[in-house]
Amino acid sequence: MMNMKLVSLFFLLLTTAACKKSVSNSNLQAETFLNVSYGSNSLQKMDVYLPAKRNADTKVVVFIHGGSFIGGDKSDYTALVEELYKKNFAVLNINYRLVDGSGLETNPITHKKSSILIQDQVIDVSAAVDFVISKAEDWQVSNSKIAVVGHSAGATLALLYSYGDKNTGKVKAVANLAGALDQTFTDLPNYNLLPPPILEFGYRYTGFEVSPTNEQYYKAISPLYVANAGKKINTLTIFPENNVVGAFPKQNRATFDAFTNRLNQLGISNKFVQIPGADHSFTTAGSVQLMFIELLTFLGSSY
């Protein structure tokens, strides 16, 4: 997850990259609502940031936190979403149900099926988007100018939703901040010798063992394979140059290039940006600022 003290420091230095503002004669004041429920589960909550002088053209951003699908919290990204809010976006910072991460650090590792899979988390993203649309009139924001943004696991969920069947034109743009793009393993040499936690993560994520016969379930949680010509969603991909995510494979530039090439082949409008010297969480000096400028520029013009 991101170092929020460092994020806050960089945002204090941020003086560039203004976004396009909606013209409005509204006298509405800025409002914030924390822990708003969008579903019946205790984790299905969002923090709602509504800018002043908003109207039916005010752009909406749904932000999805990272945490390897098993952890993390919306509060880890409060500094980032508040900066978007200050730039006159309505921002919904969401939590979602988590894959069971218990027993992954034991020796031997506990082998168990999770009641929540990545596909259930995509359902949560869909529910959050639908909730936002249902509240657009009350909140006085756009019900059609909606983008999803995520970091790490949250970026993967953002992409899976955007390119998936549940996005029936509801979301117009998606920003991928260092997401996992290819979560298949069986094409790797000696994949069965990957560290046991990685193989167990795969089982927890999908409900199926890592094996060639189950590859379809791993492709179904990989944006590289889910992207399709029927969902031409404007896409921003931001790659931190030093993108290391524990022992997880396929987090390198080659995988991100394969994803970009795939989008180009499908005719999906996209932009790829590499942040020099950045680590996975954008904690190196200046990297958060550079990432935010690119994100802000994209959101200001892509939908």
Side-chain angles (χ1 to χ4, degrees):
M1 66 182 65
M2 293 186 178
N3 183 317
M4 286 297 103
K5 290 183 179 179
L6 192 58
V7 171
S8 298
L9 176 61
F10 284 138
F11 282 141
L12 287 174
L13 299 175
L14 187 63
T15 58
T16 59
C19 69
K20 184 178 179 180
K21 298 181 180 180
S22 298
V23 177
S24 174
N25 294 319
S26 172
N27 292 319
L28 289 173
Q29 299 299 307
E31 294 184 275
T32 300
F33 306 103
L34 303 181
N35 293 313
V36 176
S37 294
Y38 66 88
S40 58
N41 189 277
S42 62
L43 286 174
Q44 293 173 319
K45 287 186 168 60
M46 63 173 65
D47 294 340
V48 179
Y49 299 85
L50 304 175
K53 299 182 179 180
R54 60 192 181 275
N55 61 22
D57 288 325
T58 296
K59 290 184 174 182
V60 175
V61 175
V62 177
F63 193 93
I64 311 170
H65 72 76
S68 299
F69 307 99
I70 65 170
D73 187 84
K74 56 185 170 59
S75 62
D76 299 331
Y77 298 83
T78 298
L80 191 154
V81 300
E82 285 184 344
E83 289 302 317
L84 288 173
Y85 159 66
K86 291 174 184 176
K87 299 298 183 182
N88 296 306
F89 291 95
V91 188
L92 301 313
N93 189 16
I94 73 167
N95 274 347
Y96 49 89
R97 291 172 295 166
L98 300 174
V99 172
D100 187 349
S102 63
L104 286 168
E105 297 181 356
T106 61
N107 188 13
I109 286 174
T110 303
H111 186 53
K112 62 187 294 188
K113 195 167 185 175
S114 173
S115 62
I116 301 299
L117 309 176
I118 285 180
Q119 296 293 6
D120 296 307
Q121 296 176 326
V122 176
I123 290 172
D124 285 0
V125 174
S126 178
V129 170
D130 288 347
F131 180 78
V132 170
I133 292 172
S134 74
K135 298 291 289 184
E137 185 174 354
D138 291 343
W139 290 343
Q140 298 190 51
V141 297
S142 177
N143 64 2
S144 60
K145 296 179 179 180
I146 302 173
V148 286
V149 179
H151 171 244
S152 191
T156 306
L157 295 177
L159 293 167
L160 293 175
Y161 168 77
S162 296
Y163 302 146
D165 293 340
K166 294 186 180 300
N167 178 25
T168 54
K170 299 170 187 176
V171 162
K172 305 300 192 298
V174 56
N176 157 36
L177 311 179
L181 302 176
D182 184 356
Q183 301 199 89
T184 63
F185 298 134
T186 54
D187 58 333
L188 297 170
N190 301 314
Y191 72 87
N192 56 312
L193 299 180
L194 286 167
I198 300 300
L199 297 175
E200 180 63 20
F201 267 113
Y203 180 67
R204 303 279 183 98
Y205 290 167
T206 65
F208 294 90
E209 303 285 357
V210 177
S211 72
T213 57
N214 291 331
E215 187 179 63
Q216 61 180 311
Y217 302 107
Y218 290 80
K219 285 185 174 180
I221 61 168
S222 300
L224 175 64
Y225 296 101
V226 174
N228 64 92
K231 295 292 173 66
K232 294 188 175 180
I233 312 300
N234 288 340
T235 302
L236 171 68
T237 292
I238 295 185
F239 174 72
E241 183 179 23
N242 302 313
N243 190 45
V244 177
V245 189
F248 280 98
K250 299 186 176 182
Q251 306 298 316
N252 56 9
R253 174 66 187 264
T255 302
F256 278 70
D257 285 346
F259 179 65
T260 298
N261 291 337
R262 175 68 174 158
L263 297 185
N264 289 337
Q265 290 168 2
L266 293 169
I268 296 174
S269 176
N270 73 95
K271 181 180 181 182
F272 172 86
V273 178
Q274 176 171 297
I275 304 299
D279 59 21
H280 180 68
S281 296
F282 301 97
T283 60
T284 56
S287 61
V288 166
Q289 186 179 26
L290 291 174
M291 177 272 286
F292 187 77
I293 290 171
E294 293 291 346
L295 176 61
L296 196 61
T297 301
F298 174 77
L299 294 174
S301 61
S302 64
Y303 70 113

